[in-house]
Each structure stands twice: as structure tokens, then as C-alpha cells.
Amino acid sequence: MEIKRASTGVKGLDERIGGGLPTPSVILVAGEPGTGKTTFCMQCLFRGAKLGEPGIYVTAISEPVDQIHKYMASYRFYDRRLVDEGLVKFLDISEVLMKRGARKALDMTINFIRRSDARRVVIDSITPFSYTFTEPQEYRRFLHEFFTVLKAMETLTLLVAEFSPEATTAPESYMADGVIYLYLQQGETPSTFKPGLQVRKLKGTEHPKDILRLGFTREGIRVLE
Ligand SMILES: Nc1ncnc2c1ncn2[C@@H]1O[C@H](COP(=O)(O)OP(=O)(O)OP(=O)(O)O)[C@@H](O)[C@H]1O
Ligand SMILES: [Mg+2]
């Protein structure tokens, strides 16, 4: 049976990963601050919407949705019409997450996905879920539930995680179908930094394992030759 692929909208990436991200699947997008996690996911969401696939952006950080729109509008892939037409929807779960806990926030997300008939989902990010647990064991148990529920959906789910690529054995990385790390690497001189992307794992896909150099422009992210 052939694996369905979803175009990421990131120039230079799809052709390196067999045509796109396998779908349905749960892909972890991890990296340090400012490495482009939100940009990568939004770019993918708007690509899907442009192809007629409804998408949902779920924010778990208390960042006003208006603020997210304002920042994303600086990229050319951001298309307000797709938002107005309901092809890209936004859901803020931060308050429910903090006041009523991780399971309620997960329920709210799943219900929204089902009601919207979404094909692509971004959850930005998983990290605040971990703050609602006092015992690491409890959080792990929740993660297992979280991934089980998401994997049962017919969606491409991009799960943002705020951790450095050095955290290679984070449980989230084992549970995901794919792991993409974003970097800001030291350049030739100590004062230069270069953005990079590594496909660390991608089920059912032959892919490069080395770090691909990225360019950030108003067009969004692209893989440099
Ligand atoms: N319009 C633009 N054109 C070019 N580069 C941009 C533009 N807007 C943002 N950037 C770059 O993208 C970076 C932010 O990327 P993004 O917000 O996707 O990172 P992140 O990994 O989600 O960060 P955080 O961990 O803080 O959420 C900025 O620091 C800037 O370098
Ligand atoms: Mg972000």
C-alpha cells in the first residue's frame, strides 16, 4: 500500500523526503528558541490550505491569536483569505490547559479537529502540557495517551516541542512517527549563525540524515542547495 505524502511548502524539502511528509502521521518539530518551529508549521498549514486541505493551528502558549496573525502576516505564505474562508482555523487552549488540565485540553483539541474536518493540525507546543504534571511518570503516561489519540486521527499533525536537538532521547521523540530538528548553528566565525534542519526520523521514508542549511526570507523557510 502506498504512503500518502503531504507537501510541506518548504522549498527544497519535499523532494528530499520522498515527496512530502507521510500522512496521516504525528511529526515532532523540535528546536531551541527562534529556530523557526512556528514558521515551519505555519508554512505547512498554509500550503495544505492552498491545496484545499482544512488546517488548524492550536496554541498552548498564552500568546494572543491576534499577535500570531500579526507575526505570520510578515510572511508571503500567510494568506488572510484562507483564514477568512475557514481553511485555516485557530484554537487557543492555553487557559483550559492551565485551569482544567492536560486531558481537558486534549479533549478540546480532538473535538475541534473532528468538527472542523481538518487534514492538517499544528499543536504549538507540547511543552506547556508537561508543566501541568508534578510527577514525570504521570506526564509520560499522558504523553502515551496523547500520541495514541492523535495517531488514530486521519490528519498530519505537527507537534512543536521546545527542546534542544541534544535531547535525543526525549519520550516525545520515540513516540512520534517523524522527528524534525531545527537549529541555529555556529558559522565559520563565532559571531555568525546559520539556520539548519535535520530530519532525524521519518517512518517509511528514505531521507537525508545530515543537517540541511536553511534560508529565512519573506517567502518563509527554504532548504538551500
Ligand atoms: N518576515 C520574515 N522574514 C524573514 N525572517 C523572519 C521573518 N519573520 C521572522 N523571521 C525569522 O524567524 C525567526 C522566528 O521564527 P519562529 O517564530 O518560527 O521560531 P520558533 O522556533 O517558533 O521560536 P519560539 O521558540 O520563540 O517559539 C525570527 O527570529 C526571525 O529570525
Ligand atoms: Mg514558536
Side-chain angles (χ1 to χ4, degrees):
M1 214 166 61
E2 208 177 313
I3 299 172
K4 267 202 233 157
R5 303 269 165 190
S7 165
T8 60
V10 174
K11 219 172 150 216
L13 183 61
D14 292 349
E15 59 263 38
R16 286 176 164 92
I17 56 172
L21 293 169
T23 183
S25 67
V26 181
I27 311 288
L28 196 77
V29 179
E32 291 178 352
T35 48
K37 301 180 294 296
T38 301
T39 304
F40 176 89
C41 294
M42 283 284 195
Q43 203 167 329
C44 187
L45 210 55
F46 276 92
R47 166 61 133 224
K50 211 164 188 178
L51 298 170
E53 299 173 21
I56 298 176
Y57 177 85
V58 182
T59 176
I61 320 168
S62 329
E63 188 174 19
V65 169
D66 281 353
Q67 193 90 315
I68 300 169
H69 283 289
K70 206 168 70 191
Y71 286 138
M72 285 304 129
S74 73
Y75 288 119
R76 287 214 179 92
F77 61 77
Y78 176 90
D79 187 344
R80 185 76 216 190
R81 267 180 319 172
L82 295 173
V83 178
D84 293 341
E85 284 168 15
L87 271 163
V88 179
K89 289 193 176 123
F90 290 74
L91 174 69
D92 186 349
I93 57 164
S94 54
E95 200 178 317
V96 169
L97 179 60
M98 287 309 150
K99 291 191 178 150
R100 300 178 65 199
R103 285 189 173 83
K104 278 274 177 256
L106 175 59
D107 283 350
M108 190 179 173
T109 304
I110 298 301
N111 286 336
F112 196 78
I113 296 172
R114 290 216 175 100
R115 264 187 286 128
S116 316
D117 226 358
R119 315 297 308 156
R120 299 191 186 197
V121 178
V122 173
I123 301 177
D124 195 352
S125 77
I126 178 96
T127 308
F129 283 85
S130 68
Y131 303 153
T132 66
F133 294 90
T134 44
E135 296 299 319
Q137 204 51 38
E138 275 299 304
Y139 177 54
R140 273 178 185 252
R141 198 169 304 152
F142 169 74
L143 272 183
H144 184 76
E145 206 178 304
F146 189 88
F147 275 88
T148 306
V149 172
L150 288 179
K151 282 186 183 187
M153 310 288 299
E154 283 297 305
T155 55
L156 167 65
T157 304
L158 301 181
L159 205 51
V160 174
E162 292 156 11
F163 53 69
S164 106
E166 276 76 54
T168 49
T169 57
E172 293 90 337
S173 305
Y174 285 109
M175 293 182 202
D177 300 307
V179 177
I180 293 176
Y181 286 133
L182 292 166
Y183 292 85
L184 254 184
Q185 286 182 300
Q186 183 81 59
E188 284 81 34
T189 64
S191 59
T192 56
F193 286 90
K194 290 172 180 168
L197 177 152
Q198 182 189 36
V199 180
R200 185 59 180 246
K201 88 170 180 190
L202 201 52
K203 288 195 180 153
T205 308
E206 192 184 340
H207 61 88
K209 307 247 181 343
D210 43 341
I211 298 173
L212 307 169
R213 292 272 317 284
L214 294 181
F216 275 75
T217 65
R218 284 204 59 203
E219 310 297 324
I221 297 175
R222 71 189 174 96
V223 176
L224 303 176
E225 292 310 315

